[in-house]
């Protein structure tokens, strides 16, 4: 049975598509993309007034399994991804046990076989992500990890980071670093600045991130590896990366929707859902990141989807867990704030949220063309909706965007030729 998606507005400039096209799917592949495909008894989906793009790839997701199934499971995290318009996520290794050995990676692979979207494992840089002893990087590479990271924990020891980079280069794996100098961040809970002083909360200075970004750039330059900086959040970090790129250093970086949309001011009512690593930064940092977005200087957009339980986030701000559940709001927020307003266009979004992550992780990301995997989303630009965390597929209801009114929403996600999410008429249904 073939499925024909009719009358959608398709964006995928890499494949020369911009405008109305019909898309025919057979099995798990795209059979044809043409101006008009005649119905020959196909199953029809009418996408009149809708936008069709390749489904997104989130290269920074915490799925929490094994070990923290109360926060998220592979199943619920992948359902959240499907609802958010993703066809694939890369899973960070800070599970319990940490993904520092083949058993944990194989476990994740097994669990994700039946999941709504594809999962690409990331292996830890050091054993137990303690930053002391390297993981068996060669073994991890053989098990199929797509990158190395101790995300959640910085690798404080520069010698260890150097060796990790050398091993990573031998196996052609990128190193993704969570840049945080723990001696500077200590037990800080929000960005250090005017607002932390006013709110009486311990601050994390921008320098805690920037020092590690600088160190990693120096090490990447020395070892020649591909360094990817996770959740870059400050103007200083951005300047360091720009200078390094200009020198030819192989460095890329990602920015999260929350760092593009919120500042440290958002902490004012002590809402634990605004507590995240790196912290929401100053107005100036945010504005500089948005300028970079506009100028096409951001490599990757990624959620850092970090689901936590209600209890983890309960109580005083100082004691709440760090993290934001981001998969189900990312696309809606980016569309409403940056595409609809003309700051970026759909092809810019695809560059940062599909093609570049695909290139960095070296995973299939050929877009909408004949013979490629049928991974796409159907977006309704007219749909008005309010972020309701109780409707999240994710177990993590920890979003600072609850109650935000948005216009434009993902309505259908196809992964490998199968409709895995359907929200037409507000169904909010996972199908697989
Ligand atoms: O806020 C965060 N939460 N930042 C990280 O880097 C890790 C993440 C988590 O695992 O909860
Ligand atoms: Zn991190």
């Amino acid at each position: 049975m073939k499925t024909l998606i009719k009358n959608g507005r398709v964006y995928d400039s890499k494949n020369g598509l911009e405008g109305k096209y019909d898309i025919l799917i057979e099995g798990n592949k795209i059979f044809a993309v043409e101006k008009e495909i005649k119905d020959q008894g196909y199953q029809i989906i009418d996408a009149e007034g809708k936008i069709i793009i390749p489904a997104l790839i989130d290269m920074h997701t915490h799925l929490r399994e094994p070990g923290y199934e109360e926060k998220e499971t592979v199943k619920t995290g992948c359902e959240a991804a499907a609802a958010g318009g993703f066809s694939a996520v890369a899973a960070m290794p800070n599970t319990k046990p940490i993904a520092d050995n083949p058993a944990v990676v194989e476990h994740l692979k097994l669990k994700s076989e039946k999941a709504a979207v594809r999962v690409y494992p990331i292996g830890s840089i050091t054993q137990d992500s303690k930053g002391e002893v390297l993981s068996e990087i060669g073994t991890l590479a053989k098990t199929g990890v797509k990158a190395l990271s101790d995300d959640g924990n910085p690798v404080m020891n520069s010698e260890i980071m150097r060796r990790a980079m050398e091993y990573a280069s031998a196996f052609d794996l990128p190193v993704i670093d969570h840049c945080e100098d723990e001696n500077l961040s200590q037990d800080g809970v929000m960005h250090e600045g005017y607002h932390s002083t006013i709110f009486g909360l311990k601050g994390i200075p921008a320098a805690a991130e920037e020092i590690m970004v600088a160190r990693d750039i120096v090490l990447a330059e020395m070892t020649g590896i591909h360094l990817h900086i996770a959740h870059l959040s400050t103007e200083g970090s951005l300047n360091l990366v720009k200078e390094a790129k200009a020198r030819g250093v192989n460095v890329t970086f990602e920015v999260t929707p929350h760092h593009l949309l919120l500042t440290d001011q958002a902490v004012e009512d002590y809402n634990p859902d605004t507590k995240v690593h790196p912290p929401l930064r100053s107005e100036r940092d945010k504005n500089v990141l948005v300028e970079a977005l506009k100028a096409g200087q951001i490599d990757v957009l990624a959620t850092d989807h970090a689901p936590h339980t209600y209890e983890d986030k309960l109580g005083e701000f100082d004691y709440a867990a760090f993290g934001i559940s981001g998969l189900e709001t990312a696309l809606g927020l980016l569309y409403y704030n940056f595409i609809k307003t003309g700051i970026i266009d759909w092809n810019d979004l695809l560059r940062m949220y599909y093609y570049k992550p695909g290139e960095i992780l070296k995973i299939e990301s050929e877009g909408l063309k004949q013979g490629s995997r049928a991974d796409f989303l159907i977006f309704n630009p007219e749909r008005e909706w309010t972020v309701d965390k109780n409707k999240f597929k994710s177990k993590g209801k920890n979003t600072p965007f609850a109650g935000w009114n948005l216009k434009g929403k993902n309505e259908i996600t196809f992964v490998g030729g199968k409709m895995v999410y359907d929200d037409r008429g507000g169904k909010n249904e996972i199908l697989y």
Side-chain angles (χ1 to χ4, degrees):
M1 183 66 171
K2 292 187 182 137
T3 305
L4 179 61
I5 325 282
K6 281 208 76 78
N7 303 319
R9 198 171 169 79
V10 178
Y11 289 92
D12 182 3
S13 64
K14 257 209 163 163
N15 286 307
L17 302 171
E18 182 155 351
K20 262 199 168 183
Y21 284 89
D22 292 347
I23 301 179
L24 187 60
I25 318 164
E26 184 180 36
N28 62 353
K29 298 229 184 304
I30 291 178
F31 188 80
V33 186
E34 282 162 28
K35 275 278 163 207
E36 197 180 346
I37 301 174
K38 292 259 173 313
D39 177 16
Q40 299 186 19
Y42 306 132
Q43 182 185 325
I44 306 273
I45 294 174
D46 182 17
E48 181 70 48
K50 311 281 160 63
I51 284 153
I52 304 179
I53 55 168
L56 309 178
I57 299 173
D58 194 73
M59 65 174 288
H60 192 143
T61 296
H62 296 272
L63 290 178
R64 307 295 192 208
E65 193 174 354
Y68 301 105
E69 287 83 355
E70 71 283 7
K71 294 180 194 275
E72 193 79 291
T73 61
V74 173
K75 181 176 188 292
T76 57
C78 289
E79 291 184 0
F86 298 90
S87 64
V89 298
M92 281 297 175
N94 60 340
T95 48
K96 195 171 68 188
I98 296 267
D100 62 4
N101 66 81
V104 180
V105 178
E106 290 297 348
H107 174 81
L108 174 65
K109 280 162 66 180
L110 207 67
K111 285 273 172 177
S112 44
E113 271 172 14
K114 292 195 205 89
V117 304
R118 277 185 291 283
V119 176
Y120 295 102
I122 297 174
S124 75
I125 296 174
T126 65
Q127 289 179 28
D128 214 18
S129 285
K130 285 207 170 95
E132 291 161 3
V133 182
L134 284 186
S135 304
E136 290 201 11
I137 291 173
T139 321
L140 286 171
K142 263 193 223 133
T143 355
V145 304
K146 297 293 176 190
L148 298 169
S149 183
D150 272 2
D151 185 65
N153 303 289
V155 179
M156 285 294 295
N157 182 323
S158 305
E159 158 68 6
I160 296 275
M161 192 49 143
R162 172 199 177 166
R163 297 295 168 209
M165 287 182 175
E166 285 169 351
Y167 274 96
S169 83
F171 298 98
D172 204 18
L173 291 171
V175 169
I176 303 175
D177 200 22
H178 166 122
C179 292
E180 178 189 343
D181 183 326
E182 281 180 323
N183 296 314
L184 278 172
S185 60
Q186 292 196 17
D187 49 358
V189 292
M190 70 173 289
H191 176 66
E192 179 180 301
Y194 171 81
H195 288 107
S196 63
T197 311
I198 298 292
F199 305 156
L201 293 171
K202 179 127 199 304
I204 301 171
E209 175 175 314
E210 291 155 5
I211 281 175
M212 294 304 252
V213 170
R215 179 204 70 175
D216 284 356
I217 286 170
V218 170
L219 291 175
E221 201 161 10
M222 171 177 152
T223 57
I225 66 127
H226 175 197
L227 165 70
H228 179 79
I229 293 165
H231 41 53
L232 181 143
S233 70
T234 77
E235 179 183 19
S237 298
L238 182 70
N239 288 337
L240 286 162
V241 173
K242 279 196 206 163
E243 287 162 16
K245 282 184 181 221
R247 289 202 301 281
V249 181
N250 189 3
V251 54
T252 53
F253 69 102
E254 69 195 27
V255 177
T256 69
H258 49 268
H259 289 114
L260 288 167
L261 287 165
L262 298 172
T263 67
D264 52 352
Q265 166 109 49
V267 180
E268 78 186 324
D269 56 3
Y270 301 92
N271 174 2
D273 292 339
T274 61
K275 185 176 174 185
V276 64
H277 259 152
L280 301 173
R281 298 292 188 182
S282 69
E283 180 78 23
R284 181 176 168 106
D285 288 312
K286 187 201 81 169
N287 291 341
V288 166
L289 291 179
V290 172
E291 280 307 310
L293 179 79
K294 198 172 174 178
Q297 292 164 345
I298 294 180
D299 294 303
V300 168
L301 294 167
T303 57
D304 188 11
H305 177 74
H308 289 293
T309 64
Y310 177 70
E311 289 76 18
D312 295 329
K313 284 286 195 181
L314 196 65
E316 280 177 58
F317 195 87
D318 278 340
Y319 302 109
F322 288 91
I324 288 174
S325 179
L327 286 169
E328 286 164 270
T329 52
L331 178 56
L333 289 168
L334 293 169
Y335 173 75
Y336 187 65
N337 291 285
F338 302 121
I339 298 181
K340 197 172 171 6
T341 54
I343 290 173
I344 58 169
D345 64 24
W346 282 105
N347 284 306
D348 294 323
L349 182 86
L350 284 180
R351 171 174 46 76
M352 294 178 276
Y353 228 158
Y354 176 73
Y355 282 109
K356 197 69 184 182
E359 183 190 317
I360 291 172
L361 300 171
K362 303 183 190 75
I363 59 178
E364 189 180 322
S365 45
E366 291 177 0
L368 304 171
K369 67 173 185 203
Q370 190 181 2
S372 74
R373 198 156 46 193
D375 294 343
F376 57 89
L377 65 89
I378 305 180
F379 187 89
N380 182 349
E382 297 303 322
R383 173 95 172 259
E384 292 184 16
W385 62 294
T386 302
V387 176
D388 177 355
K389 57 186 172 186
N390 297 313
K391 289 196 179 145
F392 279 8
K393 302 295 175 193
S394 171
K395 287 191 184 185
K397 313 298 179 197
N398 45 307
T399 175
F401 300 109
W404 280 38
N405 295 317
L406 303 174
K407 189 170 180 188
K409 189 178 183 304
N410 176 46
E411 280 192 339
I412 293 179
T413 311
F414 266 83
V415 178
K418 269 200 324 209
M419 193 194 289
V420 293
Y421 179 68
D422 183 2
D423 195 29
R424 283 171 297 180
K427 277 188 273 186
N428 194 27
E429 225 169 34
I430 296 288
L431 315 150
Y432 66 96

